Amino acid sequence: MKAKVARIAIPVIMALFLILVMASPAFAAATVTPASGGGAISADDFGTGTYTDLGAIVIAEGAIGDIGVGTIILDVPTGFEFRTAPAPDVAVTGAGELVATFTSITTTQITITVTTASATATNTLTIGGVSAIGVRPTQGIPLASGNIIMDAASTSTILGVTTGPGGTNFGTLTEVPGTAASFNVVTSGGGTETAGAAFSVTLTALDTYGNTCDSGPNAYTGAHTINFASAATPSPNGTPPTIPASESINFTAGVGTSLTSFILTNAEEIVAPTIGATDGIVTGFSAPITVNPGPAVSFNVVTSGGGTETAGVAFSVTLTALDAYGNTCDSGLNAYTGAHTINFTSTATNSPNGTAPTIPASESINFAAGVGTSSTGFILVNPGETPTITASETAGPSGTSAPITVNPAALASYTVAPAAGPYTAGVAFTVTTTGYDAYGNVVTNDSTSIVTYTSNSATMVFDANQDGTFTDNSEALAAGVSVIDVKDNTAASGVTITATTGAVSGVSPAITINPAAINYYTVTSASYNQTAGVAFTVTVTAYDQYGNVVTTDSTTSVTMTSSSATMLFDSNGNGIFGQRGDNIKTLSAGTFNIPARDTIGRSGVTITATDPNGNTGTSSPYTISGWTGQAGPGAAPPAAPPPAAAAPPSGGMPVGALAGLWAGVAVICGLIIWLGIFRR
């Protein structure tokens, strides 16, 4: 029992002893009052000559000799440095014998040497009470903080003070943000937005070193009027972005978010847009913002020829999916990719010769980055129009191409069209040749093909350059057309003109070349040996200057005369010669026959035809033979012709009577001559 009591009593007694010892003033620990004023050291002081003066470090002995002889080395925390000049002062107060002096200072340590400890009374050691300890940051970021501590290498011991990291605090130093110098500007989408979708902007006020101005004397808080600007441009279809000019934004701990919506519309900018913000002093810009397209709502439809195609030549169609702002849907959540069934329609019509265009009804097209190209061929055939092609996806985007220019295909045929007739020998007229492709379209895109002209009339001549020389029969098409002058001096029907280029040719409709105006007459008979008193036929034919019978003339009246005064005509064919008007006859298809008779035998007799315009023609000489026996003595004179039954012309005797009179005179003269000869 005694042993058990002893085991319990001995520890209790020892504990009480220790309590009494520690409570005794002779063993009281020193008290350290840390330096004040280091709780808000601005990062702006880094790298400058500005230091923050700290309050004094005070070490008060709790008992005589608490501060032992040796060195007291104070370390500045990482991220800070001491001011080396002026050095802080060291002061000892109290009735004791403590002697301590300043020894040295570096940017990282202050050394104080205690040469005499207190012996009869306690003392207080003050460091930096008059010449303050100055500190400043050694870096702008990250912000530093820590305590001034007593280095473990110190040789002085201070009762109650621990040394080294985590030891007694001789002063807390805290680096705080500097003055706001810029804004960090971030969109609500983190720098990736969708065209047409509203977003907000968050601003973070930063000091020079990028620290958020969230605390300390430089904390950026409260309402600030922020002005915004952006280099964002309108979308491809011209829709401008929405950038608020300014807004009052409330900041907390250096961060504020706009309440006004921002909208970007151009997902195809060469330089990604940024948004700038400023309060007039503090300014910042966002990083380049990626703008993704909105949902596809339409197609841009372009033919493989860029909107210009050739009749009959197959082409493809490329579709580009666009959002409401005209951006290609090539990226982001709205990227238009993969296989899509596209329906096609067109305003294209048949060609002039009835060939229909080829427009696929639908096709499954694979899209990559918003773009897909048809594999089925489209064919247009009518250059006389500018058709469009429309592409659409059921319950999806649709679009129509710009009007498509359709060029004619290659030259395939000609039409040769003489100007409207009538056509006259020797008179030029125009021939227009038009080239066509296989679809009946005029080859307006052909100005190089050489057209050569020929005719089934050997006398037709051509004037391709229309200079009046009629020595050239070929020229190049001009926009698919050739216009030349032609003429033919030969009157004929069934005349055709052929235009040829290589294997391509065309023939005009048959035309008739009419003779020109009457230029002269021919007067002919079957024989130019005729007998006096015997009628014979004279043929009168009208010719133009080119030797064509003027078959078109059935109206001109021709007057017949003769070098023989006794030559008579019977134009009406009643058998009575010499009646009034019997020497005048109207052409019929450029000619006529008229009976003629002479009652006097002679040679060198000619007959002349003359019209009112002075055109004339004379026969070859006739020889008129007399009656049998008339040439020798004793021949009986020919009987006088019977009196004409025709009425005499006004103011004279009938032509028949006049002829009879002349015949009688001839007989009498013959008798007189005969009697004279006989009497001799």
Side-chain angles (χ1 to χ4, degrees), residues 430-444:
T430 298
V431 173
T432 299
T433 295
T434 304
Y436 294 87
D437 65 12
Y439 306 97
N441 303 301
V442 177
V443 288
T444 54

mmCIF file with all atom_site columns, all heavy atoms in Angstrom, residues 430-444:
data_model
loop_
_atom_site.group_PDB
_atom_site.id
_atom_site.type_symbol
_atom_site.label_atom_id
_atom_site.label_alt_id
_atom_site.label_comp_id
_atom_site.label_asym_id
_atom_site.label_entity_id
_atom_site.label_seq_id
_atom_site.pdbx_PDB_ins_code
_atom_site.Cartn_x
_atom_site.Cartn_y
_atom_site.Cartn_z
_atom_site.occupancy
_atom_site.B_iso_or_equiv
_atom_site.pdbx_formal_charge
_atom_site.auth_seq_id
_atom_site.auth_comp_id
_atom_site.auth_asym_id
_atom_site.auth_atom_id
_atom_site.pdbx_PDB_model_num
ATOM 1   N N   . THR A 1 430 ? -27.704 41.684 -149.561 1.00 0.00 ? 430 THR A N   1
ATOM 2   C CA  . THR A 1 430 ? -27.030 41.186 -148.354 1.00 0.00 ? 430 THR A CA  1
ATOM 3   C C   . THR A 1 430 ? -27.445 39.748 -148.060 1.00 0.00 ? 430 THR A C   1
ATOM 4   O O   . THR A 1 430 ? -28.620 39.385 -148.202 1.00 0.00 ? 430 THR A O   1
ATOM 5   C CB  . THR A 1 430 ? -27.385 42.074 -147.150 1.00 0.00 ? 430 THR A CB  1
ATOM 6   O OG1 . THR A 1 430 ? -26.908 43.397 -147.399 1.00 0.00 ? 430 THR A OG1 1
ATOM 7   C CG2 . THR A 1 430 ? -26.730 41.552 -145.874 1.00 0.00 ? 430 THR A CG2 1
ATOM 8   N N   . VAL A 1 431 ? -26.461 38.968 -147.625 1.00 0.00 ? 431 VAL A N   1
ATOM 9   C CA  . VAL A 1 431 ? -26.719 37.605 -147.160 1.00 0.00 ? 431 VAL A CA  1
ATOM 10  C C   . VAL A 1 431 ? -26.222 37.510 -145.715 1.00 0.00 ? 431 VAL A C   1
ATOM 11  O O   . VAL A 1 431 ? -25.084 37.882 -145.418 1.00 0.00 ? 431 VAL A O   1
ATOM 12  C CB  . VAL A 1 431 ? -26.007 36.565 -148.039 1.00 0.00 ? 431 VAL A CB  1
ATOM 13  C CG1 . VAL A 1 431 ? -26.149 35.170 -147.420 1.00 0.00 ? 431 VAL A CG1 1
ATOM 14  C CG2 . VAL A 1 431 ? -26.592 36.584 -149.445 1.00 0.00 ? 431 VAL A CG2 1
ATOM 15  N N   . THR A 1 432 ? -27.071 37.037 -144.842 1.00 0.00 ? 432 THR A N   1
ATOM 16  C CA  . THR A 1 432 ? -26.707 36.868 -143.433 1.00 0.00 ? 432 THR A CA  1
ATOM 17  C C   . THR A 1 432 ? -26.613 35.383 -143.114 1.00 0.00 ? 432 THR A C   1
ATOM 18  O O   . THR A 1 432 ? -27.570 34.638 -143.318 1.00 0.00 ? 432 THR A O   1
ATOM 19  C CB  . THR A 1 432 ? -27.747 37.523 -142.515 1.00 0.00 ? 432 THR A CB  1
ATOM 20  O OG1 . THR A 1 432 ? -27.813 38.929 -142.798 1.00 0.00 ? 432 THR A OG1 1
ATOM 21  C CG2 . THR A 1 432 ? -27.367 37.319 -141.040 1.00 0.00 ? 432 THR A CG2 1
ATOM 22  N N   . THR A 1 433 ? -25.443 35.001 -142.616 1.00 0.00 ? 433 THR A N   1
ATOM 23  C CA  . THR A 1 433 ? -25.218 33.604 -142.209 1.00 0.00 ? 433 THR A CA  1
ATOM 24  C C   . THR A 1 433 ? -25.118 33.553 -140.690 1.00 0.00 ? 433 THR A C   1
ATOM 25  O O   . THR A 1 433 ? -24.369 34.322 -140.082 1.00 0.00 ? 433 THR A O   1
ATOM 26  C CB  . THR A 1 433 ? -23.932 33.057 -142.839 1.00 0.00 ? 433 THR A CB  1
ATOM 27  O OG1 . THR A 1 433 ? -24.105 33.017 -144.256 1.00 0.00 ? 433 THR A OG1 1
ATOM 28  C CG2 . THR A 1 433 ? -23.633 31.645 -142.332 1.00 0.00 ? 433 THR A CG2 1
ATOM 29  N N   . THR A 1 434 ? -25.866 32.660 -140.096 1.00 0.00 ? 434 THR A N   1
ATOM 30  C CA  . THR A 1 434 ? -25.882 32.523 -138.640 1.00 0.00 ? 434 THR A CA  1
ATOM 31  C C   . THR A 1 434 ? -25.445 31.114 -138.261 1.00 0.00 ? 434 THR A C   1
ATOM 32  O O   . THR A 1 434 ? -25.970 30.129 -138.794 1.00 0.00 ? 434 THR A O   1
ATOM 33  C CB  . THR A 1 434 ? -27.288 32.790 -138.080 1.00 0.00 ? 434 THR A CB  1
ATOM 34  O OG1 . THR A 1 434 ? -27.721 34.092 -138.507 1.00 0.00 ? 434 THR A OG1 1
ATOM 35  C CG2 . THR A 1 434 ? -27.284 32.738 -136.553 1.00 0.00 ? 434 THR A CG2 1
ATOM 36  N N   . GLY A 1 435 ? -24.456 31.050 -137.345 1.00 0.00 ? 435 GLY A N   1
ATOM 37  C CA  . GLY A 1 435 ? -23.967 29.759 -136.875 1.00 0.00 ? 435 GLY A CA  1
ATOM 38  C C   . GLY A 1 435 ? -24.752 29.278 -135.666 1.00 0.00 ? 435 GLY A C   1
ATOM 39  O O   . GLY A 1 435 ? -25.099 30.069 -134.789 1.00 0.00 ? 435 GLY A O   1
ATOM 40  N N   . TYR A 1 436 ? -25.020 27.993 -135.613 1.00 0.00 ? 436 TYR A N   1
ATOM 41  C CA  . TYR A 1 436 ? -25.779 27.393 -134.507 1.00 0.00 ? 436 TYR A CA  1
ATOM 42  C C   . TYR A 1 436 ? -25.011 26.211 -133.930 1.00 0.00 ? 436 TYR A C   1
ATOM 43  O O   . TYR A 1 436 ? -24.235 25.549 -134.631 1.00 0.00 ? 436 TYR A O   1
ATOM 44  C CB  . TYR A 1 436 ? -27.146 26.905 -134.994 1.00 0.00 ? 436 TYR A CB  1
ATOM 45  C CG  . TYR A 1 436 ? -28.061 28.015 -135.430 1.00 0.00 ? 436 TYR A CG  1
ATOM 46  C CD1 . TYR A 1 436 ? -28.027 28.495 -136.737 1.00 0.00 ? 436 TYR A CD1 1
ATOM 47  C CD2 . TYR A 1 436 ? -28.961 28.597 -134.543 1.00 0.00 ? 436 TYR A CD2 1
ATOM 48  C CE1 . TYR A 1 436 ? -28.861 29.521 -137.154 1.00 0.00 ? 436 TYR A CE1 1
ATOM 49  C CE2 . TYR A 1 436 ? -29.802 29.622 -134.946 1.00 0.00 ? 436 TYR A CE2 1
ATOM 50  C CZ  . TYR A 1 436 ? -29.744 30.085 -136.249 1.00 0.00 ? 436 TYR A CZ  1
ATOM 51  O OH  . TYR A 1 436 ? -30.562 31.096 -136.644 1.00 0.00 ? 436 TYR A OH  1
ATOM 52  N N   . ASP A 1 437 ? -25.224 25.970 -132.632 1.00 0.00 ? 437 ASP A N   1
ATOM 53  C CA  . ASP A 1 437 ? -24.666 24.762 -132.036 1.00 0.00 ? 437 ASP A CA  1
ATOM 54  C C   . ASP A 1 437 ? -25.650 23.616 -132.229 1.00 0.00 ? 437 ASP A C   1
ATOM 55  O O   . ASP A 1 437 ? -26.687 23.757 -132.901 1.00 0.00 ? 437 ASP A O   1
ATOM 56  C CB  . ASP A 1 437 ? -24.319 24.980 -130.562 1.00 0.00 ? 437 ASP A CB  1
ATOM 57  C CG  . ASP A 1 437 ? -25.538 25.245 -129.682 1.00 0.00 ? 437 ASP A CG  1
ATOM 58  O OD1 . ASP A 1 437 ? -26.679 25.048 -130.144 1.00 0.00 ? 437 ASP A OD1 1
ATOM 59  O OD2 . ASP A 1 437 ? -25.343 25.652 -128.522 1.00 0.00 ? 437 ASP A OD2 1
ATOM 60  N N   . ALA A 1 438 ? -25.339 22.472 -131.614 1.00 0.00 ? 438 ALA A N   1
ATOM 61  C CA  . ALA A 1 438 ? -26.172 21.285 -131.812 1.00 0.00 ? 438 ALA A CA  1
ATOM 62  C C   . ALA A 1 438 ? -27.550 21.428 -131.179 1.00 0.00 ? 438 ALA A C   1
ATOM 63  O O   . ALA A 1 438 ? -28.434 20.607 -131.444 1.00 0.00 ? 438 ALA A O   1
ATOM 64  C CB  . ALA A 1 438 ? -25.468 20.064 -131.224 1.00 0.00 ? 438 ALA A CB  1
ATOM 65  N N   . TYR A 1 439 ? -27.728 22.476 -130.354 1.00 0.00 ? 439 TYR A N   1
ATOM 66  C CA  . TYR A 1 439 ? -29.002 22.649 -129.667 1.00 0.00 ? 439 TYR A CA  1
ATOM 67  C C   . TYR A 1 439 ? -29.841 23.785 -130.263 1.00 0.00 ? 439 TYR A C   1
ATOM 68  O O   . TYR A 1 439 ? -30.854 24.167 -129.697 1.00 0.00 ? 439 TYR A O   1
ATOM 69  C CB  . TYR A 1 439 ? -28.755 22.893 -128.172 1.00 0.00 ? 439 TYR A CB  1
ATOM 70  C CG  . TYR A 1 439 ? -27.902 21.808 -127.568 1.00 0.00 ? 439 TYR A CG  1
ATOM 71  C CD1 . TYR A 1 439 ? -26.527 21.986 -127.411 1.00 0.00 ? 439 TYR A CD1 1
ATOM 72  C CD2 . TYR A 1 439 ? -28.452 20.588 -127.214 1.00 0.00 ? 439 TYR A CD2 1
ATOM 73  C CE1 . TYR A 1 439 ? -25.735 20.970 -126.895 1.00 0.00 ? 439 TYR A CE1 1
ATOM 74  C CE2 . TYR A 1 439 ? -27.665 19.564 -126.697 1.00 0.00 ? 439 TYR A CE2 1
ATOM 75  C CZ  . TYR A 1 439 ? -26.307 19.759 -126.547 1.00 0.00 ? 439 TYR A CZ  1
ATOM 76  O OH  . TYR A 1 439 ? -25.516 18.755 -126.047 1.00 0.00 ? 439 TYR A OH  1
ATOM 77  N N   . GLY A 1 440 ? -29.380 24.284 -131.398 1.00 0.00 ? 440 GLY A N   1
ATOM 78  C CA  . GLY A 1 440 ? -30.124 25.353 -132.059 1.00 0.00 ? 440 GLY A CA  1
ATOM 79  C C   . GLY A 1 440 ? -29.841 26.726 -131.504 1.00 0.00 ? 440 GLY A C   1
ATOM 80  O O   . GLY A 1 440 ? -30.578 27.677 -131.785 1.00 0.00 ? 440 GLY A O   1
ATOM 81  N N   . ASN A 1 441 ? -28.773 26.872 -130.731 1.00 0.00 ? 441 ASN A N   1
ATOM 82  C CA  . ASN A 1 441 ? -28.406 28.175 -130.185 1.00 0.00 ? 441 ASN A CA  1
ATOM 83  C C   . ASN A 1 441 ? -27.432 28.879 -131.120 1.00 0.00 ? 441 ASN A C   1
ATOM 84  O O   . ASN A 1 441 ? -26.512 28.254 -131.656 1.00 0.00 ? 441 ASN A O   1
ATOM 85  C CB  . ASN A 1 441 ? -27.722 28.004 -128.818 1.00 0.00 ? 441 ASN A CB  1
ATOM 86  C CG  . ASN A 1 441 ? -28.582 27.249 -127.834 1.00 0.00 ? 441 ASN A CG  1
ATOM 87  O OD1 . ASN A 1 441 ? -29.682 27.671 -127.526 1.00 0.00 ? 441 ASN A OD1 1
ATOM 88  N ND2 . ASN A 1 441 ? -28.068 26.119 -127.340 1.00 0.00 ? 441 ASN A ND2 1
ATOM 89  N N   . VAL A 1 442 ? -27.633 30.174 -131.301 1.00 0.00 ? 442 VAL A N   1
ATOM 90  C CA  . VAL A 1 442 ? -26.668 30.954 -132.067 1.00 0.00 ? 442 VAL A CA  1
ATOM 91  C C   . VAL A 1 442 ? -25.340 30.952 -131.319 1.00 0.00 ? 442 VAL A C   1
ATOM 92  O O   . VAL A 1 442 ? -25.297 31.197 -130.107 1.00 0.00 ? 442 VAL A O   1
ATOM 93  C CB  . VAL A 1 442 ? -27.156 32.406 -132.267 1.00 0.00 ? 442 VAL A CB  1
ATOM 94  C CG1 . VAL A 1 442 ? -26.106 33.234 -133.000 1.00 0.00 ? 442 VAL A CG1 1
ATOM 95  C CG2 . VAL A 1 442 ? -28.465 32.413 -133.044 1.00 0.00 ? 442 VAL A CG2 1
ATOM 96  N N   . VAL A 1 443 ? -24.248 30.681 -132.032 1.00 0.00 ? 443 VAL A N   1
ATOM 97  C CA  . VAL A 1 443 ? -22.928 30.591 -131.379 1.00 0.00 ? 443 VAL A CA  1
ATOM 98  C C   . VAL A 1 443 ? -22.353 31.995 -131.194 1.00 0.00 ? 443 VAL A C   1
ATOM 99  O O   . VAL A 1 443 ? -21.363 32.392 -131.816 1.00 0.00 ? 443 VAL A O   1
ATOM 100 C CB  . VAL A 1 443 ? -21.960 29.679 -132.161 1.00 0.00 ? 443 VAL A CB  1
ATOM 101 C CG1 . VAL A 1 443 ? -22.352 28.236 -132.016 1.00 0.00 ? 443 VAL A CG1 1
ATOM 102 C CG2 . VAL A 1 443 ? -21.905 30.063 -133.636 1.00 0.00 ? 443 VAL A CG2 1
ATOM 103 N N   . THR A 1 444 ? -22.973 32.728 -130.306 1.00 0.00 ? 444 THR A N   1
ATOM 104 C CA  . THR A 1 444 ? -22.556 34.115 -130.062 1.00 0.00 ? 444 THR A CA  1
ATOM 105 C C   . THR A 1 444 ? -21.150 34.216 -129.499 1.00 0.00 ? 444 THR A C   1
ATOM 106 O O   . THR A 1 444 ? -20.565 35.299 -129.491 1.00 0.00 ? 444 THR A O   1
ATOM 107 C CB  . THR A 1 444 ? -23.538 34.787 -129.090 1.00 0.00 ? 444 THR A CB  1
ATOM 108 O OG1 . THR A 1 444 ? -23.649 33.978 -127.910 1.00 0.00 ? 444 THR A OG1 1
ATOM 109 C CG2 . THR A 1 444 ? -24.917 34.916 -129.729 1.00 0.00 ? 444 THR A CG2 1
#
